[in-house]
Structures are given as C-alpha cells and as structure tokens.
Amino acid sequence: MPFRLLLLYGAIGGLASVLAAALLRSLLSAARPEATEPESPPTLLPSWRDLFEAATHVFAGAGIGLVFWLSWGFAAIVTVPWWVRGIAFGGICALVVAVPALVGTALRTGMRSKQAAGLLLEWTYTCVMAGLACAWIAEATQ
C-alpha cells in the first residue's frame, strides 16, 4: 500500500465529510426556519472557525490514513469487499478515538446532548469516509 496515497485519500475522506456536514447543516437549517435569525443575511464566506474545523477533519483523515497504513488496513480479512473493510476500519477508529474524546469533552464542558450528538455524528462519518477512501485506494493499488 503506498503511504502517500493513503495519507492523501484519508485527507480527501476528511474533506468529503466536511462537505457532507455543510450540506446536512444547510438542509437542517432550511427545515427549521425559526431556528435562524431573520435579521442577519446568510454569508457565503467561511469564517476562521469554519476553516479551522475543516482543517482538523482533513488532518484527522490523514491520520486515519497513517493508521490504516501502519495496521495494513485489516489485511488479514480477505473475504470481504473493500467497502466493508473501510466501514469497519472507520467505525473502529471512531469508536476508539472520537467517542471517548467527545464524551470526555461533553462531560467536562457541560455540552448539551444535541450538540454532543451532532459532533459525534460529524466525527464518526469523518472516520468512516476516511476509512472508505483508504480501503478503496488500497484495493485499487493491489
């Protein structure tokens, strides 16, 4: 498995999750028009906070690519298609890294359960999409 390609595709998986989250947020805010303020017009330019969040998902995806390379991406499991391997790897990454970090942060800061669930969902599909991207490129380069 090529190391650089796994890092690149992991980062692309993280970026794809950022785009999916932005799409879901806009769909959810359109479904609840009372939740938005009518006085403020929507802005198309991202804020520094948005850029920082996107960068953390991209770097996390690259980190998942690194872990995929170090672990050989479940190479011992040979009887499953690449997408099953990618979903399993991403799910395990989310369970081992994202869930404990978010639960600890939520408990320490007193975060509302809806916010914690939203962050957990975002980080879970970041892990899963990066795992899928890494499994796909590993399968394609064999």
Side-chain angles (χ1 to χ4, degrees):
M1 288 183 282
F3 174 69
R4 290 182 183 152
L5 275 178
L6 285 174
L7 288 180
L8 177 68
Y9 275 77
I12 289 171
L15 185 60
S17 74
V18 170
L19 296 174
L23 179 65
L24 286 175
R25 276 192 211 120
S26 66
L27 289 175
L28 288 176
S29 67
R32 294 180 294 156
E34 67 276 355
T36 61
E37 297 176 5
E39 297 89 30
S40 62
T43 178
L44 296 178
L45 296 175
S47 66
W48 284 107
R49 180 179 170 263
D50 295 333
L51 292 175
F52 184 71
E53 283 184 24
T56 57
H57 285 271
V58 168
F59 285 123
I64 290 170
L66 174 68
V67 172
F68 193 89
W69 179 74
L70 289 172
S71 68
W72 290 76
F74 292 163
I77 304 172
V78 294
T79 60
V80 297
W82 66 269
W83 57 271
V84 173
R85 187 175 299 153
I87 289 173
F89 189 83
I92 288 174
C93 286
L95 244 140
V96 172
V97 178
V99 171
L102 287 174
V103 167
T105 302
L107 291 175
R108 182 172 295 255
T109 62
M111 189 183 300
R112 293 187 327 214
S113 61
K114 285 186 179 183
Q115 286 177 323
L119 279 174
L120 183 61
L121 180 65
E122 283 183 28
W123 281 103
T124 298
Y125 60 75
T126 292
C127 293
V128 169
M129 291 180 97
L132 280 170
C134 291
W136 181 76
I137 195 62
E139 182 75 22
T141 56
Q142 286 182 357

